[in-house]
Amino acid sequence: MKHSNSGFSLIELMVVVAIIGVLASIALPAYSAYQARGKLAAGLAEVAALRSVAETHLNDGRRLGGIDDLPGARPLTAHCALTAAFDDTGAGTLTCEVQNAPPAVRGARLAWERSEEGAWACSVASLSDPSLAPGGCVATAP
């Protein structure tokens, strides 16, 4: 009577597990960077929406002091703790401190700064990797 052995040997299974481990070690850092960029992009979208509201207010000649002067603005959102500070000349800053973020961007601060002339500039501070900064934003030292 002939018995056929079907199935995988222990060595074959160990090779498969090793291959999966190598693939996972390559994929996880890429996924973490993807998550970090996504969180920064979400924060940038939230603070950019406030930028439009602030610009409209300032162009209408209304004074802005803080976040409470912006209609519809909530100081705490799913992605940001938002703050605003403007002086009488119209110069000021809208800031998003990133909340509930992956370790690579935990504590990062996105800021839109407005000059007296009305020009806006974006910066990001406290990033562990400056390459994570969204396009159009400059990574700065903490």
Side-chain angles (χ1 to χ4, degrees):
M1 183 168 223
K2 187 175 181 184
H3 291 278
S4 71
N5 289 335
S6 62
F8 299 106
S9 70
L10 181 59
I11 296 295
E12 291 170 328
L13 291 174
M14 287 173 51
V15 167
V16 169
V17 169
I19 290 171
I20 290 171
V22 168
L23 292 174
S25 71
I26 293 169
L28 285 178
Y31 179 68
S32 295
Y34 174 76
Q35 276 186 314
R37 279 190 206 94
K39 185 56 105 167
L40 287 176
L44 184 62
E46 288 183 359
V47 77
L50 287 183
R51 186 184 87 168
S52 299
V53 173
E55 188 67 24
T56 301
H57 261 57
L58 292 168
N59 287 338
D60 288 344
R62 291 184 264 175
R63 184 184 180 285
L64 286 177
I67 195 78
D68 295 330
D69 296 330
L70 295 167
R74 294 180 306 172
L76 189 60
T77 67
H79 305 289
C80 292
L82 296 167
T83 58
F86 289 88
D87 61 21
D88 291 335
T89 66
T93 305
L94 294 170
T95 306
C96 161
E97 187 169 336
V98 179
Q99 304 290 310
N100 307 317
V105 294
R106 193 167 290 140
R109 286 183 314 280
L110 292 154
W112 278 105
E113 296 179 33
R114 185 182 192 274
S115 67
E116 291 179 26
E117 296 80 30
W120 290 90
C122 179
S123 64
V124 185
S126 300
L127 285 180
S128 62
D129 180 3
S131 70
L132 295 174
C137 288
V138 176
T140 61

Short mmCIF file of all heavy atoms in Angstrom, two decimals, residues 105-135:
data_model
loop_
_atom_site.label_atom_id
_atom_site.label_comp_id
_atom_site.label_asym_id
_atom_site.label_seq_id
_atom_site.Cartn_x
_atom_site.Cartn_y
_atom_site.Cartn_z
N VAL A 105 4.50 62.76 13.63
CA VAL A 105 4.00 64.14 13.57
C VAL A 105 3.31 64.57 14.86
O VAL A 105 2.66 65.62 14.89
CB VAL A 105 3.05 64.34 12.36
CG1 VAL A 105 3.80 64.19 11.07
CG2 VAL A 105 1.87 63.40 12.41
N ARG A 106 3.46 63.80 15.90
CA ARG A 106 2.84 64.16 17.18
C ARG A 106 3.43 65.48 17.67
O ARG A 106 4.64 65.66 17.72
CB ARG A 106 3.08 63.06 18.21
CG ARG A 106 2.23 63.22 19.45
CD ARG A 106 2.22 61.99 20.30
NE ARG A 106 1.48 60.93 19.62
CZ ARG A 106 1.85 59.66 19.61
NH1 ARG A 106 2.93 59.27 20.23
NH2 ARG A 106 1.13 58.76 18.97
N GLY A 107 2.58 66.44 17.98
CA GLY A 107 3.04 67.73 18.45
C GLY A 107 3.42 68.70 17.34
O GLY A 107 3.87 69.80 17.62
N ALA A 108 3.23 68.32 16.08
CA ALA A 108 3.57 69.22 14.97
C ALA A 108 2.61 70.40 14.96
O ALA A 108 1.45 70.28 15.36
CB ALA A 108 3.50 68.47 13.64
N ARG A 109 3.11 71.55 14.51
CA ARG A 109 2.30 72.76 14.42
C ARG A 109 2.33 73.30 13.00
O ARG A 109 3.40 73.66 12.49
CB ARG A 109 2.82 73.82 15.39
CG ARG A 109 2.51 73.54 16.82
CD ARG A 109 2.99 74.63 17.76
NE ARG A 109 4.34 75.10 17.51
CZ ARG A 109 5.45 74.48 17.91
NH1 ARG A 109 5.34 73.36 18.58
NH2 ARG A 109 6.64 74.96 17.65
N LEU A 110 1.16 73.35 12.37
CA LEU A 110 1.01 73.97 11.05
C LEU A 110 0.60 75.41 11.27
O LEU A 110 -0.29 75.68 12.09
CB LEU A 110 -0.09 73.26 10.26
CG LEU A 110 0.18 71.83 9.82
CD1 LEU A 110 -1.13 71.09 9.66
CD2 LEU A 110 0.96 71.84 8.54
N ALA A 111 1.20 76.32 10.55
CA ALA A 111 0.86 77.73 10.74
C ALA A 111 0.77 78.44 9.40
O ALA A 111 1.61 78.25 8.51
CB ALA A 111 1.91 78.42 11.60
N TRP A 112 -0.28 79.23 9.24
CA TRP A 112 -0.41 80.17 8.13
C TRP A 112 -0.18 81.54 8.72
O TRP A 112 -0.91 81.97 9.61
CB TRP A 112 -1.81 80.11 7.50
CG TRP A 112 -1.99 79.01 6.52
CD1 TRP A 112 -2.66 77.85 6.70
CD2 TRP A 112 -1.49 78.96 5.17
NE1 TRP A 112 -2.62 77.08 5.57
CE2 TRP A 112 -1.90 77.74 4.61
CE3 TRP A 112 -0.73 79.84 4.41
CZ2 TRP A 112 -1.60 77.38 3.31
CZ3 TRP A 112 -0.43 79.48 3.10
CH2 TRP A 112 -0.85 78.26 2.57
N GLU A 113 0.86 82.21 8.24
CA GLU A 113 1.18 83.55 8.74
C GLU A 113 0.84 84.57 7.67
O GLU A 113 1.18 84.40 6.50
CB GLU A 113 2.66 83.62 9.10
CG GLU A 113 3.01 82.69 10.24
CD GLU A 113 4.48 82.74 10.58
OE1 GLU A 113 5.08 83.81 10.45
OE2 GLU A 113 4.99 81.69 10.98
N ARG A 114 0.15 85.64 8.10
CA ARG A 114 -0.25 86.71 7.18
C ARG A 114 0.55 87.96 7.49
O ARG A 114 0.64 88.38 8.63
CB ARG A 114 -1.75 87.01 7.33
CG ARG A 114 -2.28 88.00 6.33
CD ARG A 114 -3.76 88.27 6.59
NE ARG A 114 -4.40 89.00 5.52
CZ ARG A 114 -4.41 90.32 5.42
NH1 ARG A 114 -3.81 91.06 6.33
NH2 ARG A 114 -5.03 90.90 4.41
N SER A 115 1.11 88.55 6.43
CA SER A 115 1.84 89.80 6.60
C SER A 115 0.87 90.97 6.55
O SER A 115 -0.30 90.79 6.19
CB SER A 115 2.89 89.96 5.50
OG SER A 115 2.25 90.13 4.25
N GLU A 116 1.34 92.17 6.86
CA GLU A 116 0.49 93.36 6.80
C GLU A 116 -0.02 93.60 5.38
O GLU A 116 -1.10 94.14 5.19
CB GLU A 116 1.28 94.59 7.27
CG GLU A 116 1.59 94.59 8.73
CD GLU A 116 2.38 95.82 9.13
OE1 GLU A 116 2.28 96.86 8.44
OE2 GLU A 116 3.10 95.74 10.13
N GLU A 117 0.78 93.18 4.39
CA GLU A 117 0.40 93.38 2.99
C GLU A 117 -0.62 92.35 2.50
O GLU A 117 -1.14 92.47 1.40
CB GLU A 117 1.65 93.30 2.09
CG GLU A 117 2.66 94.40 2.34
CD GLU A 117 3.53 94.12 3.57
OE1 GLU A 117 3.77 92.95 3.89
OE2 GLU A 117 3.93 95.09 4.22
N GLY A 118 -0.89 91.33 3.28
CA GLY A 118 -1.89 90.34 2.92
C GLY A 118 -1.31 89.07 2.31
O GLY A 118 -2.06 88.22 1.83
N ALA A 119 0.00 88.91 2.32
CA ALA A 119 0.62 87.69 1.80
C ALA A 119 0.62 86.61 2.88
O ALA A 119 0.93 86.88 4.04
CB ALA A 119 2.05 87.99 1.35
N TRP A 120 0.26 85.41 2.48
CA TRP A 120 0.22 84.28 3.41
C TRP A 120 1.40 83.35 3.15
O TRP A 120 1.79 83.13 2.01
CB TRP A 120 -1.08 83.49 3.23
CG TRP A 120 -2.31 84.20 3.69
CD1 TRP A 120 -3.09 85.02 2.96
CD2 TRP A 120 -2.89 84.14 4.99
NE1 TRP A 120 -4.14 85.48 3.73
CE2 TRP A 120 -4.04 84.95 4.98
CE3 TRP A 120 -2.56 83.48 6.17
CZ2 TRP A 120 -4.86 85.12 6.10
CZ3 TRP A 120 -3.37 83.65 7.28
CH2 TRP A 120 -4.51 84.46 7.23
N ALA A 121 1.95 82.77 4.22
CA ALA A 121 3.04 81.79 4.12
C ALA A 121 2.75 80.65 5.09
O ALA A 121 2.32 80.88 6.21
CB ALA A 121 4.37 82.45 4.46
N CYS A 122 3.00 79.43 4.62
CA CYS A 122 2.74 78.24 5.44
C CYS A 122 4.06 77.69 5.98
O CYS A 122 5.06 77.63 5.26
CB CYS A 122 2.05 77.18 4.57
SG CYS A 122 1.70 75.65 5.45
N SER A 123 4.02 77.27 7.24
CA SER A 123 5.19 76.62 7.84
C SER A 123 4.73 75.49 8.75
O SER A 123 3.59 75.48 9.22
CB SER A 123 6.02 77.63 8.64
OG SER A 123 5.26 78.14 9.71
N VAL A 124 5.62 74.54 8.96
CA VAL A 124 5.35 73.40 9.84
C VAL A 124 6.52 73.27 10.79
O VAL A 124 7.67 73.23 10.37
CB VAL A 124 5.18 72.08 9.06
CG1 VAL A 124 4.78 70.96 9.99
CG2 VAL A 124 4.19 72.21 7.94
N ALA A 125 6.24 73.21 12.08
CA ALA A 125 7.28 73.06 13.09
C ALA A 125 7.12 71.75 13.85
O ALA A 125 6.03 71.17 13.88
CB ALA A 125 7.22 74.23 14.07
N SER A 126 8.19 71.30 14.45
CA SER A 126 8.22 70.11 15.31
C SER A 126 7.96 68.81 14.56
O SER A 126 7.31 67.91 15.08
CB SER A 126 7.22 70.24 16.47
OG SER A 126 7.54 71.37 17.25
N LEU A 127 8.50 68.71 13.36
CA LEU A 127 8.42 67.44 12.62
C LEU A 127 9.68 66.63 12.88
O LEU A 127 10.78 67.17 12.87
CB LEU A 127 8.31 67.70 11.12
CG LEU A 127 7.00 68.19 10.56
CD1 LEU A 127 7.10 68.39 9.06
CD2 LEU A 127 5.87 67.24 10.89
N SER A 128 9.52 65.33 13.07
CA SER A 128 10.70 64.48 13.23
C SER A 128 11.40 64.28 11.89
O SER A 128 12.60 64.05 11.84
CB SER A 128 10.29 63.13 13.82
OG SER A 128 9.41 62.45 12.95
N ASP A 129 10.65 64.38 10.79
CA ASP A 129 11.21 64.22 9.44
C ASP A 129 10.67 65.36 8.57
O ASP A 129 9.49 65.38 8.23
CB ASP A 129 10.79 62.87 8.86
CG ASP A 129 11.31 62.62 7.47
OD1 ASP A 129 12.06 63.47 6.94
OD2 ASP A 129 10.98 61.56 6.90
N PRO A 130 11.51 66.33 8.20
CA PRO A 130 11.04 67.48 7.41
C PRO A 130 10.43 67.11 6.06
O PRO A 130 9.65 67.87 5.51
CB PRO A 130 12.32 68.31 7.21
CG PRO A 130 13.23 67.91 8.31
CD PRO A 130 12.92 66.47 8.59
N SER A 131 10.74 65.92 5.54
CA SER A 131 10.17 65.52 4.25
C SER A 131 8.66 65.25 4.36
O SER A 131 7.99 65.11 3.34
CB SER A 131 10.88 64.29 3.70
OG SER A 131 10.57 63.15 4.47
N LEU A 132 8.13 65.16 5.57
CA LEU A 132 6.70 64.93 5.75
C LEU A 132 5.88 66.20 5.58
O LEU A 132 4.65 66.14 5.50
CB LEU A 132 6.42 64.35 7.14
CG LEU A 132 7.00 62.96 7.43
CD1 LEU A 132 6.78 62.59 8.89
CD2 LEU A 132 6.39 61.92 6.52
N ALA A 133 6.53 67.35 5.52
CA ALA A 133 5.81 68.63 5.41
C ALA A 133 4.97 68.64 4.14
O ALA A 133 5.42 68.22 3.08
CB ALA A 133 6.79 69.78 5.39
N PRO A 134 3.72 69.13 4.23
CA PRO A 134 2.87 69.21 3.04
C PRO A 134 3.48 70.13 1.99
O PRO A 134 4.24 71.05 2.33
CB PRO A 134 1.56 69.80 3.58
CG PRO A 134 1.60 69.59 5.04
CD PRO A 134 3.03 69.57 5.43
N GLY A 135 3.15 69.89 0.74
CA GLY A 135 3.62 70.74 -0.34
C GLY A 135 3.22 72.18 -0.11
O GLY A 135 2.09 72.46 0.28
#
